[in-house]
Amino acid sequence: MISRYSRPEMARIWTLQNKYEVWREIEVLACEAQSLLGDSGITAEDAAHIRASADFSVERIAELEKTLRHDVIAFLTNMNESIGEPSKWVHYGMTSSDLGDTALCYLLTQAVDLLLEDLSRIEEICTRRARETRDMVCVGRTHGIHAEPMTFGMKFARWAFAIRRAQQRLLAAREVIAVGAISGAVGTYSSIDPFVEQYVCEKLGLTPDPLSTQIVARDRHAQLLAALATAAASAEDIALEIRALQKTETLEAEEPFTSGQKGSSAMPHKRNPIISERICGLARVVKANAQVGFDNVALWHERDISHSSAERVVLADSTIALDYLLNKLAWVLDGLVLYPQRMRANLDATRGLIYSSHILLALIDSGMSREAAYRVVQNAAMQVWEDVQNAQSGATLMQLLADDPSCPLDAAQLDEICQPEQFLMRVDAIFDRLC
């Protein structure tokens, strides 16, 4: 991922320096485990020496890899230069994937832990702002068309619930990916005792893979990438709603516009939702990368390395991009500017059409059939709709119905029915669930 969309803490996880530090720790732990077994020739003193002296240089490894064409061997060659004679016990009985896959899973747990912190922050913001705006009346929209009154707090609450589900999916994926495998060439432990795997995994906070055919099965990584993609999709859903609400014709909400910020090189008046648009754009990357995870599941026989090159890109890019866009989303949500007066103006813009469902029910309660009641309300509604769309002055839905002899409700009854608060009498149930 390019530096523009990388936050330092997440980006550091995917540096070569951090990866080699984890590789070194795994190799040292494996040596310590072998010394505890006492059947391979490595002594406690050897293991202690390896622990104290094992070192590496990113630059030296890169230099060696140019000739060796193998990153693990280049790493081991460089590290052994600092160890000396006991280096013969390093990587004893192991294969490259024992090191690489165990380290990768550990790096992914580091990345997921940061993402869980990001999600927790967004969930807290959405929950807090939902409570703040639980009584802020606005119009609900279906198909982009005004439907019925609701509260803006319901939008924040919906987002909070979505983020909670993202947290649950990511926690489940973390458990699936937090495994290690040190089982040898095709996973038979032919040259290494399972105790070594158990010891290393325990020290790293991982669980031994119950059966690794030299590699950890990639359905685990696919599940993680799917969880990342779903979290990105939920973030995109939120950002897209904010973009829609910030349109000039709507303008019920607006992402923060900071002091000194400029919205357009040509039009000084512009205040564009650029951060929300960036979130939507980066979410596409994370979602697309999930497909690579699915493609990586099917490998030849016990293993091949067709997955390796692809996941070096998508695992790092997806976690870095998601971390970045979640941080931006938290900033937008925390500072989201709301315009209640504009919400009210939009609520009234269709001259009472948004109350049609309650009028329909009131007519049914008065004794009319549903078909007859629907026809009465729709006939009046279509007349109002035409006036609104043509920007013509005209009566409200309530006024037309009050003058309609086929409507048994008088003006006072219609006025009582057509109050936004009548639609919100039971929303407390939603906010009780949020708590």
Side-chain angles (χ1 to χ4, degrees):
M1 179 54 63
I2 62 174
S3 59
R4 180 181 178 87
Y5 303 129
S6 303
R7 299 178 68 216
E9 192 172 3
M10 181 64 82
R12 189 198 68 80
I13 291 174
W14 298 107
T15 61
L16 289 174
Q17 179 69 30
N18 187 53
K19 182 174 79 168
Y20 292 150
E21 286 174 2
V22 176
W23 281 14
R24 175 177 59 187
E25 182 63 15
I26 291 171
E27 293 289 354
V28 171
L29 288 171
C31 290
E32 291 174 348
Q34 295 277 18
S35 72
L36 292 172
L37 279 171
D39 59 3
S40 63
I42 180 173
T43 65
E45 290 73 20
D46 290 330
H49 175 81
I50 292 169
R51 164 70 68 183
S53 60
D55 201 2
F56 64 86
S57 162
V58 173
E59 293 75 18
R60 174 64 174 152
I61 294 168
E63 179 186 345
L64 288 166
E65 190 178 356
K66 289 178 182 178
T67 300
L68 298 171
R69 303 283 181 171
H70 197 294
D71 57 349
V72 172
I73 296 176
F75 167 80
L76 294 171
T77 300
N78 175 224
M79 193 171 76
N80 290 346
E81 291 171 343
S82 65
I83 296 172
E85 196 275 335
S87 66
K88 64 184 180 180
W89 304 116
V90 174
H91 207 66
Y92 185 85
M94 294 171 60
T95 189
S96 297
S97 291
D98 289 337
L99 176 62
D101 270 16
T102 302
L104 178 59
C105 288
Y106 180 75
L107 294 175
L108 287 170
T109 63
Q110 288 185 319
V112 169
D113 287 344
L114 289 181
L115 293 171
L116 286 169
E117 291 178 10
D118 295 337
L119 290 170
S120 179
R121 181 182 173 209
I122 294 173
E123 192 274 337
E124 181 279 325
I125 292 170
C126 287
T127 300
R128 168 170 49 82
R129 298 216 64 184
R131 292 173 180 145
E132 293 169 357
T133 58
R134 63 181 295 162
D135 298 321
M136 187 178 291
V137 181
C138 65
V139 67
R141 298 170 175 88
T142 58
H143 304 274
I145 308 300
H146 287 199
E148 289 187 356
M150 59 178 289
T151 81
F152 206 93
M154 291 173 63
K155 293 181 184 288
F156 278 117
R158 180 170 70 87
W159 299 337
F161 284 125
I163 295 302
R164 289 180 188 179
R165 292 191 295 273
Q167 289 174 296
Q168 293 164 359
R169 281 186 289 266
L170 202 53
L171 280 168
R174 189 195 189 284
E175 182 177 355
V176 167
I177 203 64
V179 297
I182 301 179
S183 56
V186 290
T188 62
Y189 301 98
S190 62
S191 301
I192 195 163
D193 193 293
F195 171 77
V196 177
E197 180 183 69
Q198 179 67 45
Y199 181 90
V200 172
C201 287
E202 183 178 336
K203 294 295 185 182
L204 294 176
L206 305 176
T207 301
D209 191 329
L211 196 162
S212 58
T213 56
Q214 188 178 129
I215 62 168
V216 171
R218 258 46 193 181
D219 63 279
R220 298 177 183 272
H221 305 70
Q223 180 174 341
L224 175 60
L225 282 164
L228 300 179
T230 310
S234 292
E236 180 184 19
D237 178 44
I238 297 170
L240 187 65
E241 176 70 3
I242 293 169
R243 290 169 57 193
L245 292 173
Q246 190 169 332
K247 290 189 298 181
T248 305
E249 296 83 355
T250 307
L251 202 54
E252 295 181 357
E254 185 179 34
E255 71 174 43
F257 193 83
T258 59
S259 176
Q261 182 176 342
K262 290 180 171 57
S264 167
S265 62
M267 296 169 284
H269 73 279
K270 295 297 292 295
R271 290 161 64 111
N272 303 325
I274 58 170
I275 303 302
S276 297
E277 290 172 337
R278 192 181 306 167
I279 291 167
C280 291
L282 287 174
R284 297 169 189 168
V285 174
V286 182
K287 291 187 298 180
N289 285 350
Q291 183 61 50
V292 177
F294 299 135
D295 292 341
N296 279 350
V297 174
L299 303 173
W300 282 16
H301 306 300
E302 280 58 59
R303 74 162 293 205
D304 61 50
I305 61 167
S306 60
H307 63 286
S308 177
S309 55
E311 71 187 15
R312 286 175 191 246
V313 176
V314 298
L315 290 172
D317 278 7
S318 290
T319 52
I320 292 172
L322 185 58
D323 174 61
Y324 176 88
L325 71 85
L326 289 178
N327 179 260
K328 290 299 181 184
L329 181 61
W331 179 81
V332 169
L333 289 169
D334 198 32
L336 189 66
V337 181
L338 303 179
Y339 298 108
Q341 291 180 325
R342 186 61 179 264
M343 293 178 198
R344 184 70 203 208
N346 288 338
L347 196 74
D348 296 334
T350 55
R351 303 176 191 171
L353 292 183
I354 58 174
Y355 305 117
S356 68
S357 63
H358 274 203
I359 298 173
L360 171 66
L361 296 179
L363 291 177
I364 294 171
D365 290 341
S366 74
M368 294 181 71
S369 70
R370 183 178 184 86
E371 291 75 14
Y374 196 100
R375 185 165 54 252
V376 167
V377 178
Q378 188 182 42
N379 286 341
M382 292 303 100
Q383 184 176 335
V384 175
W385 180 267
E386 184 175 342
D387 290 341
V388 170
Q389 298 311 309
N390 291 321
Q392 295 177 347
S393 60
T396 66
L397 177 63
M398 294 76 79
Q399 290 169 337
L400 287 179
L401 288 171
D403 294 338
D404 185 349
S406 63
C407 176
L409 303 175
D410 61 30
Q413 290 172 310
L414 288 165
D415 184 65
E416 182 179 355
I417 293 167
C418 299
Q419 297 297 324
E421 293 71 25
Q422 294 291 331
F423 291 75
L424 308 175
M425 292 185 295
R426 299 188 180 96
V427 297
D428 284 350
I430 296 170
F431 292 95
D432 289 344
R433 295 168 193 158
L434 184 65
C435 296

